[in-house]
Coordinates of all heavy atoms in Angstrom, one line a residue:
N172 N -12.1 13.2 29.4 CA -12.3 14.5 28.9 C -13.8 14.9 28.9 O -14.2 16.0 28.4 CB -11.8 14.7 27.5 CG -12.2 13.7 26.5 OD1 -13.3 13.0 26.7 ND2 -11.5 13.4 25.4
G173 N -14.7 14.0 29.4 CA -16.1 14.3 29.4 C -16.9 14.0 28.1 O -18.0 14.5 27.9
S174 N -16.3 13.2 27.3 CA -17.0 12.8 26.0 C -18.4 12.2 26.2 O -18.6 11.4 27.1 CB -16.1 11.9 25.1 OG -14.9 12.6 24.7
V175 N -19.3 12.5 25.3 CA -20.6 11.8 25.3 C -20.4 10.3 25.2 O -19.7 9.9 24.3 CB -21.4 12.4 24.1 CG1 -22.7 11.5 23.9 CG2 -21.8 13.8 24.4
D176 N -21.0 9.6 26.1 CA -21.0 8.1 26.0 C -19.6 7.6 26.0 O -19.3 6.4 25.5 CB -21.8 7.6 24.8 CG -22.3 6.2 25.0 OD1 -22.5 5.8 26.2 OD2 -22.4 5.5 24.0
Q177 N -18.6 8.4 26.6 CA -17.2 7.9 26.7 C -16.6 7.6 25.3 O -15.6 6.9 25.2 CB -17.1 6.7 27.6 CG -17.6 7.0 29.0 CD -17.4 5.9 30.0 OE1 -18.2 5.7 30.9 NE2 -16.4 5.1 29.8
I178 N -17.0 8.3 24.3 CA -16.6 8.0 22.9 C -15.2 8.6 22.6 O -14.9 9.7 22.9 CB -17.6 8.6 21.9 CG1 -18.9 7.8 22.0 CG2 -17.0 8.5 20.5 CD1 -20.0 8.4 21.2
A179 N -14.3 7.7 22.1 CA -12.9 8.1 21.8 C -12.7 8.0 20.3 O -11.7 8.6 19.8 CB -12.0 7.2 22.5
G180 N -13.5 7.3 19.6 CA -13.3 7.2 18.1 C -14.6 6.8 17.4 O -15.3 5.9 17.9
V181 N -14.9 7.4 16.3 CA -16.1 7.0 15.5 C -15.7 6.9 14.0 O -14.7 7.4 13.6 CB -17.2 8.1 15.6 CG1 -17.7 8.2 17.1 CG2 -16.8 9.4 15.1
T182 N -16.6 6.2 13.3 CA -16.4 6.0 11.8 C -17.6 6.6 11.1 O -18.6 6.9 11.7 CB -16.2 4.6 11.5 OG1 -15.8 4.4 10.1 CG2 -17.4 3.7 11.8
N183 N -17.5 6.7 9.8 CA -18.6 7.0 9.0 C -19.5 5.8 8.8 O -19.1 4.7 9.2 CB -18.2 7.7 7.7 CG -17.4 6.7 6.8 OD1 -16.8 5.7 7.3 ND2 -17.2 7.0 5.5
K184 N -20.6 5.9 8.1 CA -21.5 4.7 7.9 C -20.8 3.6 7.1 O -21.0 2.5 7.3 CB -22.8 5.2 7.2 CG -23.7 6.0 8.2 CD -25.0 6.3 7.5 CE -25.9 7.1 8.5 NZ -27.2 7.4 7.8
K185 N -20.0 4.0 6.1 CA -19.3 3.0 5.2 C -18.2 2.3 6.0 O -17.8 1.2 5.6 CB -18.7 3.7 4.0 CG -19.7 4.2 3.0 CD -19.0 4.8 1.8 CE -20.0 5.3 0.7 NZ -19.2 5.9 -0.4
G186 N -17.7 2.9 7.0 CA -16.6 2.3 7.8 C -15.2 2.6 7.2 O -14.2 1.9 7.7

Side-chain angles (χ1 to χ4, degrees):
N172 54 24
S174 291
V175 168
D176 203 30
Q177 300 182 211
I178 293 172
V181 298
T182 188
N183 62 343
K184 288 183 179 180
K185 289 182 180 180

